[in-house]
Amino acid sequence: MIHSIFSFRTLVYFAYAVLLTVVLLYVRFPAEKFKAYCEERIEILLPDSVCSIGDLAYRFPLSASFDTIKISRMINGQETDMVVDRLVIAPEPLKFWKSFKLKGEMYSGRFEAGLDVDIQAQSFHLVDIHLEGVEAGALAQAIGLTERKIAGILEFSGDYQAQSNNPSDGTGKGVVQIVTGSMSLLQPILSLSTLEFERVAVNWVLENGILSFAQGELQGRDIVADFTGELRIAPLLLNSNIQLSGHLEPDETFLRSHPKEQQVVQRLMQRFKMTVLSFRVGGTVKRPLFRFST
């Protein structure tokens, strides 16, 4: 008589082994050692940074929960902190140690993504990344953009892949937008020192250290605009070179209430022989310069 390898006894032993593993993880999970290891790895991957994790715990059945992950860096002589309030990592069923589900919160918003790990190729792939409800102003402060006031709710979707030993030098694509926001300007545009908008959205592609923008649009209270361009990423994001070009159209109500600006717009349109205003933005993320152009 031939016995099936999937006998009742085998299933019982397997269930017992899984249950025992879960219990041991729960009772003897080396949280402090693993937390120190994670902090060290993040600091290696992000040079000149200091990482601290408030708490790390095992969660039933096979997930790990990180609370208050803080990454501190000195930017232009000022300490800035990037904080993730909570991150939960759970392996996908039947793909243990290869695929994971990530969920968490940061800056009043939520995020989730899938993580596929290729150990042989020493690479990873973040798929179906979604962020929503993130405070854009708080995130801007975290990357050192402190000279301008930025407000709004940030939403982000896309995917990203890179080598495990160089996670910042990867490729990706997606869409990012900020809704119900405002941004103070380093130089006034048509007398506007603050740009208020209902929505700013752009498609992005990252490759070879260049972040390309396409189909960008701004729906503002006083102006609307479209734009394309690129960002050449530097080790310090504020020093990254940005180049944008596009078209801008002031609102008719705004022009009627600002006769001097209306005259300027009319002269520029006559000069460039266009029905909308062309513009360019160049310089760095920290100090971008705006100008009207042909």
Side-chain angles (χ1 to χ4, degrees):
M1 180 177 180
I2 300 175
H3 296 280
S4 170
I5 62 173
F6 296 107
S7 65
F8 178 74
R9 179 179 295 181
T10 302
L11 291 175
V12 170
Y13 284 155
F14 177 77
Y16 173 76
V18 171
L19 179 60
L20 181 62
T21 300
V22 169
V23 170
L24 289 175
L25 279 172
Y26 184 77
V27 175
R28 305 186 61 182
F29 184 67
E32 291 301 319
K33 291 183 178 180
F34 189 57
K35 183 171 71 171
Y37 171 78
C38 292
E39 291 171 342
E40 180 182 353
R41 290 300 302 170
I42 291 174
E43 291 175 354
I44 291 174
L45 294 174
L46 300 174
D48 302 322
S49 68
V50 177
C51 176
S52 65
I53 300 174
D55 188 37
L56 189 157
Y58 164 75
R59 296 181 61 178
F60 183 86
L62 292 173
S63 64
S65 175
F66 300 77
D67 290 334
T68 315
I69 304 172
K70 182 169 73 171
I71 302 172
S72 302
R73 299 183 69 186
M74 294 297 295
I75 299 179
N76 295 331
Q78 181 178 358
E79 183 176 317
T80 62
D81 297 326
M82 176 76 74
V83 179
V84 177
D85 298 314
R86 188 174 69 93
L87 170 64
V88 177
I89 303 177
E92 293 281 10
L94 306 180
K95 297 181 180 180
F96 202 55
W97 303 121
K98 292 184 178 181
S99 295
F100 303 82
K101 190 71 175 180
L102 312 181
K103 288 186 178 181
E105 293 98 31
M106 62 186 296
Y107 300 114
S108 303
R110 298 176 297 174
F111 65 87
E112 63 179 31
L115 172 62
D116 296 330
V117 179
D118 189 330
I119 298 177
Q120 290 185 339
Q122 296 185 350
S123 64
F124 68 91
H125 189 186
L126 286 166
V127 297
D128 297 328
I129 307 170
H130 292 282
L131 286 83
E132 59 181 16
V134 175
E135 293 184 0
L139 186 59
Q141 291 281 326
I143 65 173
L145 198 59
T146 58
E147 295 185 3
R148 280 169 285 162
K149 293 183 178 180
I150 298 175
I153 303 301
L154 183 141
E155 300 176 359
F156 176 97
S157 63
D159 60 66
Y160 181 81
Q161 57 186 331
Q163 295 299 119
S164 301
N165 61 354
N166 193 8
S168 61
D169 186 21
T171 62
K173 61 181 180 179
V175 178
V176 62
Q177 70 172 358
I178 303 176
V179 297
T180 317
S182 64
M183 178 176 62
S184 62
L185 304 174
L186 293 178
Q187 57 185 130
I189 299 176
L190 298 177
S191 78
L192 295 171
S193 57
T194 298
L195 192 58
E196 298 183 3
F197 53 85
E198 298 176 2
R199 179 175 179 264
V200 177
V202 65
N203 296 340
W204 61 272
V205 174
L206 176 62
E207 190 172 8
N208 298 323
I210 299 176
L211 188 62
S212 301
F213 303 118
Q215 298 178 329
E217 59 178 27
L218 180 148
Q219 296 290 334
R221 188 182 71 174
D222 300 311
I223 63 174
V224 296
D226 63 75
F227 61 92
T228 59
E230 66 178 30
L231 178 72
R232 293 183 174 269
I233 300 175
L236 183 60
L237 183 60
L238 296 183
N239 294 336
S240 300
N241 183 269
I242 187 169
Q243 299 289 333
L244 300 177
S245 62
H247 305 93
L248 180 153
E249 187 174 2
D251 180 74
E252 289 293 335
T253 303
F254 168 77
L255 290 179
R256 285 195 297 267
S257 60
H258 294 76
K260 290 184 179 180
E261 282 65 38
Q262 187 175 37
Q263 293 177 3
V264 171
V265 169
Q266 290 174 347
R267 287 199 301 269
L268 288 171
M269 287 183 175
Q270 291 174 357
R271 175 184 173 185
F272 297 135
K273 298 180 181 179
M274 300 181 70
T275 56
V276 294
L277 298 174
S278 296
F279 70 89
R280 294 184 182 275
V281 175
T284 63
V285 171
K286 182 179 180 180
R287 299 199 65 83
L289 298 176
F290 176 95
R291 66 182 177 89
F292 290 109
S293 65
T294 55

